[in-house]
Amino acid sequence: MQKFNKHSGIVAPLDRPNVDTDAIIPKQFLKSIKRSGFGPNAFDDWRYLDEGGPDIDNASRRPNPDFVLNQQPFDKATILLARENFGCGSSREHAVWALDDFGFRAVIAPSFADIFFNNSFKNGLLPIALQASVVDDLFKRVSDNNGLELTIDLAAQTVSCGDELIASFEIDEFRKHCMLNGLDDIALTLQHADEIKAYEANRKQSAPWLF
Amino acid sequence: MSNRKTLYDKLWDDHVVRTEEDGTALLYIDRHLVHEVTSPQAFEGLRMAGREPWRTGSIVAVPDHNVPTTDRSEGITDPVAKLQVETLDNNCKEFGLTEFDMSDQRQGIVHVIGPEQGATLPGMTVVCGDSHTSTHGAFGALAFGIGTSEVEHVLATQCLMQNKSLNMLVSVDGQVHPGVTAKDIVLAIIGEIGTAGGTGYAIEFGGDAIRALSMEGRMTVCNMAIEAGARAGMVAVDQTTIDYVKGRPYSPTGDNMEKAEAYWSTLHSDDNAKFDKLVHIDAAEIKPQVTWGTSPEMVVDIDSSVPDPEAVSDKVKADGMRKALAYMGLEAGMPISDIAVDKVFIGSCTNSRIEDLREAAAIAHGRQVSDHVKLAMVVPGSGLVKKQAEEEGLDKIFIDAGFEWREPGCSMCLAMNADRLEPGERCASTSNRNFEGRQGQGGRTHLVSPAMAAAAAINGHFTNINELS
Ligand code: SF4
């Protein structure tokens, strides 16, 4: 997994609540058996005026000029700003892969759907939940200053703009540790293989029908 | 008393292998269901790390999202979809996993076949790389959807790192009126608490109206817990649960069954167990529901009208409503029963079980699909549901009425195969998501119960089924 320590980048405003994972990466792209290459089709239905598919060359399609990620400087954004319940719907991790592949390192929203939230951490994409009023203020700042850059410091758990601290955010210690160090959590879990085996042996006694 | 536990507490405690200092727990997984869309990258990761599945016996795999619902003798024509299904077949062969492949009569939607086979049992932890895994909570199991990295984690370790959710009880008290189904109950719940209302919670559904539901109905309710933002939904075990489970291929037998039943009978929340949030819903107030927007919480009674964003003071919410109305091509104030549909889809892991098909067939019986409806299709949840429906003559009722009778799979629930809406087409659908483009780019989805979908097919517009039955 990609390490995440400190990151500064341009913020793209996606002013919608309930952005679902179907919207982040539509189903026709889920047929891929790979983990990469989803970036050009992130937000596909909103991003292009004509229909896309796994075998359609995106270069031949008409981008939707009204969609924020097609506008400069947001096409270079690395931080996505959105409204509540971001990432709701399907469990598809392809949504996180698509955001990551587009170049996003963090998403800021008042709240996230649980599965998306989990999936993000597994891929080094940092989901930051901030109070709705702070998010609202960030939307205003971006609209006053297209190209606004924020700095996210995971170790300090802060979001700032230049020297100004915007907010601190919460994160579980364990997740923070994994993300700061880019740890493979399967290897971490396998360090406890003996405990897993002991649990299994116990459970075989008490609930043999499960095995 | 502090040792009184909720059902969720009990299921959680029984599966904790170890707990970190910050409360993160390593949770043991009893059943791992696998389908073709979210697993290829997980198997690839496993291979690249030189790892093996921890317990192959815990896994049941099935292709469902990409499979054609028409004649299968030719195989899958779309080469990309074909490769994905073959990749699942090959992974299952390589690692020695049980798979119900496309030619197997037991094939079907992963959330239909798990319970059907008895692979989902009370007291289990059940996971699948699919958000609607919450369905299996209907059995008094802790069941939730996971992403592909977590699929790989479970394959490799049989465990997941989890943080415990809060406890919510949604109690649906009293009795529903005739014509009101499990789907209407859950849509009404989502309308009440919102699509993010359950975020961070595990929801237990209780109350007389839930107890009165069959297992099929309970699965419909738990299926949509995720649409209320809750990763897991569950219903306490009772005689209905045990009667359903008995005698299925994967269910315990003999002494084991006796032992299991004794354990299962403890799988309910203790009296006065503490819930972090309580929601009460009066069953008698619930009417047949229809969604009008692009989120399942945008739902109203069949007898009401499309709501008006101007009447909503919350700016973000009103904006969302305006976007939804524009996408759906609807005007505020329009009666729901005036909305005409182009297509009708009866199927999906929410509503494709035998009881759902019976409900729809009861409405379709002796009637004809409206000339204004371009396509009305029924897609059974599994090969075995299809077989049973055919034994009961339901296929004939549907076909005589002008419905298409298809092979099992996810189909137009997410339109990964050839079944989809064209831009601007409007669909009465028994599935669970009305997101933009869910059933095909530009398609407009209205979520309803199977009986309501059948009624929309017959009349060509939404209709209170009580006017038909
Ligand atoms: S039927 Fe629909 S919701 Fe259910 S598993 Fe298939 S695609 Fe997902």
Side-chain angles (χ1 to χ4, degrees):
Chain A
M1 184 178 84
Q2 239 189 130
K3 283 188 192 178
F4 193 112
N5 193 343
K6 219 172 179 183
H7 174 79
S8 298
I10 294 176
V11 182
L14 185 62
D15 198 353
R16 285 172 178 256
N18 301 317
V19 172
D20 59 78
T21 53
D22 276 77
I24 300 173
I25 185 82
K27 72 253 169 176
Q28 63 267 37
F29 304 104
L30 307 189
K31 291 176 185 173
S32 167
I33 55 171
K34 301 205 199 86
R35 240 186 147 100
S36 55
F38 296 102
N41 299 105
F43 301 107
D44 199 83
D45 285 1
W46 294 340
R47 198 150 145 213
Y48 298 94
L49 293 169
D50 36 18
E51 196 166 348
D55 35 19
I56 296 173
D57 177 14
N58 291 309
S60 68
R61 299 171 64 199
R62 289 175 299 140
N64 175 2
D66 295 336
F67 185 59
V68 59
L69 297 185
N70 288 331
Q71 300 161 357
Q72 286 182 342
F74 305 122
D75 53 347
K76 304 269 177 327
T78 56
I79 300 171
L80 186 63
L81 180 67
R83 300 288 182 179
E84 68 263 14
N85 201 26
F86 187 87
C88 60
S90 147
S91 67
R92 59 188 72 167
E93 198 159 316
H94 313 65
V96 175
W97 300 335
L99 293 173
D100 173 63
D101 204 44
F102 181 92
F104 287 115
R105 298 298 324 276
V107 185
I108 299 176
S111 60
F112 293 88
D114 287 338
I115 304 179
F116 175 87
F117 193 72
N118 261 295
N119 288 344
S120 300
F121 284 105
K122 310 277 179 191
N123 293 276
L125 178 77
L126 184 63
I128 301 177
L130 297 179
Q131 272 188 359
S133 57
V134 177
V135 170
D136 211 37
D137 173 59
L138 284 175
F139 270 106
K140 287 202 188 86
R141 286 177 189 241
V142 178
S143 105
D144 293 346
N145 172 15
N146 286 349
L148 177 93
E149 289 204 16
L150 290 178
T151 299
I152 296 162
D153 184 338
L154 176 57
Q157 298 177 217
T158 56
V159 177
S160 30
C161 184
D163 293 336
E164 182 194 356
L165 172 71
I166 305 272
S168 299
F169 60 89
E170 303 273 322
I171 178 170
D172 293 331
E173 270 311 309
F174 181 75
R175 283 185 165 137
K176 179 173 165 182
H177 173 72
C178 290
M179 201 124 170
L180 282 171
N181 298 293
L183 296 179
D184 166 5
D185 58 356
I186 294 181
L188 284 179
T189 299
L190 286 173
Q191 290 174 359
H192 307 298
D194 288 347
E195 282 170 82
I196 303 171
K197 285 185 188 138
Y199 172 91
E200 273 180 334
N202 218 325
R203 192 85 171 144
K204 261 183 200 156
Q205 292 289 317
S206 61
W209 63 89
L210 291 173
F211 292 84
Chain B
M1 254 163 51
S2 60
N3 59 355
R4 289 188 168 150
K5 290 181 178 180
T6 65
L7 170 59
Y8 173 62
D9 295 338
K10 292 181 186 179
L11 293 169
W12 177 271
D13 289 351
D14 279 354
H15 289 90
V16 173
V17 174
R18 59 175 276 121
T19 313
E20 302 290 333
E21 267 173 33
D22 72 347
T24 310
L26 194 61
L27 215 58
Y28 189 81
I29 303 304
D30 296 313
R31 176 68 65 211
H32 188 184
L33 303 167
V34 172
H35 68 73
E36 80 276 23
V37 179
T38 53
S39 66
Q41 297 87 349
F43 283 113
E44 186 59 21
L46 202 68
R47 245 189 311 266
M48 284 185 12
R51 293 175 176 134
E52 293 282 325
W54 181 280
R55 184 155 75 83
T56 51
S58 68
I59 299 167
V60 176
V62 69
D64 54 3
H65 286 60
N66 271 307
V67 300
T69 58
T70 46
D71 179 17
R72 287 189 181 163
S73 52
E74 306 280 295
I76 304 178
T77 47
D78 172 356
V80 199
K82 184 164 186 248
L83 176 64
Q84 199 171 54
V85 170
E86 284 171 358
T87 303
L88 179 67
D89 295 345
N90 293 337
N91 281 327
C92 291
K93 272 191 208 100
E94 179 185 337
F95 292 111
L97 312 177
T98 303
E99 187 200 10
F100 302 149
D101 69 20
M102 237 173 67
S103 61
D104 195 311
Q105 193 171 40
R106 295 167 298 179
Q107 181 270 339
I109 305 170
V110 66
H111 309 307
V112 174
I113 67 156
E116 189 171 79
Q117 291 297 318
T120 302
L121 294 173
M124 275 184 167
T125 39
V126 180
V127 297
C128 175
D130 194 286
S131 57
H132 291 102
T133 310
S134 57
T135 310
H136 309 262
F139 290 82
L142 176 55
F144 52 90
I146 57 179
T148 298
S149 295
E150 289 177 311
V151 170
E152 186 182 337
H153 196 281
V154 178
L155 285 172
T157 70
Q158 209 59 40
C159 293
L160 274 178
M161 299 296 303
Q162 289 290 304
N163 296 302
K164 198 174 175 195
S165 306
L166 297 170
N167 277 291
M168 183 190 296
L169 176 67
V170 174
S171 183
V172 187
D173 306 315
Q175 281 188 342
V176 291
H177 290 296
V180 174
T181 67
K183 182 66 163 284
D184 303 302
I185 294 178
V186 71
L187 284 171
I189 293 171
I190 296 166
E192 176 80 22
I193 70 175
T195 41
T199 306
Y201 290 93
I203 300 182
E204 179 176 343
F205 297 99
D208 315 331
I210 300 289
R211 295 255 71 82
L213 291 174
S214 65
M215 284 317 294
E216 283 86 352
R218 294 176 191 185
M219 284 190 257
T220 300
V221 171
C222 289
N223 175 274
M224 291 192 74
I226 184 70
E227 257 53 68
R231 225 172 156 180
M234 63 200 82
V235 174
V237 175
D238 60 12
Q239 201 54 43
T240 307
T241 325
I242 292 172
D243 291 345
Y244 182 98
V245 166
K246 256 186 199 157
R248 294 187 180 262
Y250 280 70
S251 299
T253 49
D255 277 0
N256 269 345
M257 184 63 182
E258 252 174 61
K259 238 179 148 174
E261 272 193 62
Y263 172 57
W264 295 345
S265 66
T266 67
L267 296 176
H268 52 79
S269 292
D270 294 333
D271 288 343
N272 300 321
K274 186 186 156 294
F275 286 90
D276 302 286
K277 192 168 174 184
L278 281 171
V279 176
H280 284 279
I281 300 216
D282 183 354
E285 296 277 302
I286 303 174
K287 291 188 180 169
Q289 304 280 303
V290 182
T291 66
W292 56 268
T294 52
S295 161
E297 70 185 8
M298 295 172 166
V299 65
V300 289
D301 293 346
I302 174 67
D303 298 331
S304 49
S305 309
V306 176
D308 186 356
E310 304 309 321
V312 173
S313 55
D314 179 336
K315 183 185 150 298
V316 175
K317 195 168 175 203
D319 260 5
M321 289 172 71
R322 271 184 217 108
K323 283 200 179 89
L325 288 179
Y327 181 85
M328 294 297 288
L330 293 174
E331 299 285 334
M334 179 176 183
I336 296 291
S337 55
D338 282 358
I339 301 173
V341 301
D342 303 302
K343 287 185 175 165
V344 173
F345 170 61
I346 298 176
S348 90
C349 58
T350 316
N351 282 130
S352 64
R353 298 179 182 82
I354 190 69
E355 188 184 272
D356 302 313
L357 303 189
R358 286 183 194 136
E359 263 174 28
I363 298 289
H365 191 97
R367 297 194 172 98
Q368 284 298 312
V369 170
S370 159
D371 290 343
H372 303 295
V373 174
K374 293 184 217 164
L375 170 72
M377 63 195 293
V378 184
V379 184
S382 72
L384 294 176
V385 169
K386 180 165 188 254
K387 180 165 168 266
Q388 186 174 351
E390 288 173 354
E391 281 163 12
E392 294 180 18
L394 305 184
D395 57 327
K396 211 171 163 302
I397 295 178
F398 286 122
I399 293 167
D400 287 349
F403 286 83
E404 292 193 12
W405 177 246
R406 298 287 188 92
E407 298 296 324
C410 293
S411 180
M412 207 154 69
C413 172
L414 96 164
M416 256 182 102
N417 67 359
D419 310 332
R420 67 183 63 182
L421 300 180
E422 297 302 323
E425 278 183 343
R426 191 178 294 289
C427 182
S429 177
T430 65
S431 55
N432 42 48
R433 287 192 175 133
N434 50 356
F435 299 159
E436 286 185 19
R438 171 78 179 181
Q439 296 191 293
Q441 198 187 24
R444 295 159 171 167
T445 302
H446 296 267
L447 304 175
V448 287
S449 73
M452 287 286 288
I458 302 299
N459 281 355
H461 57 84
F462 291 108
T463 307
N464 190 333
I465 47 157
N466 291 321
E467 292 166 22
L468 271 180
S469 41

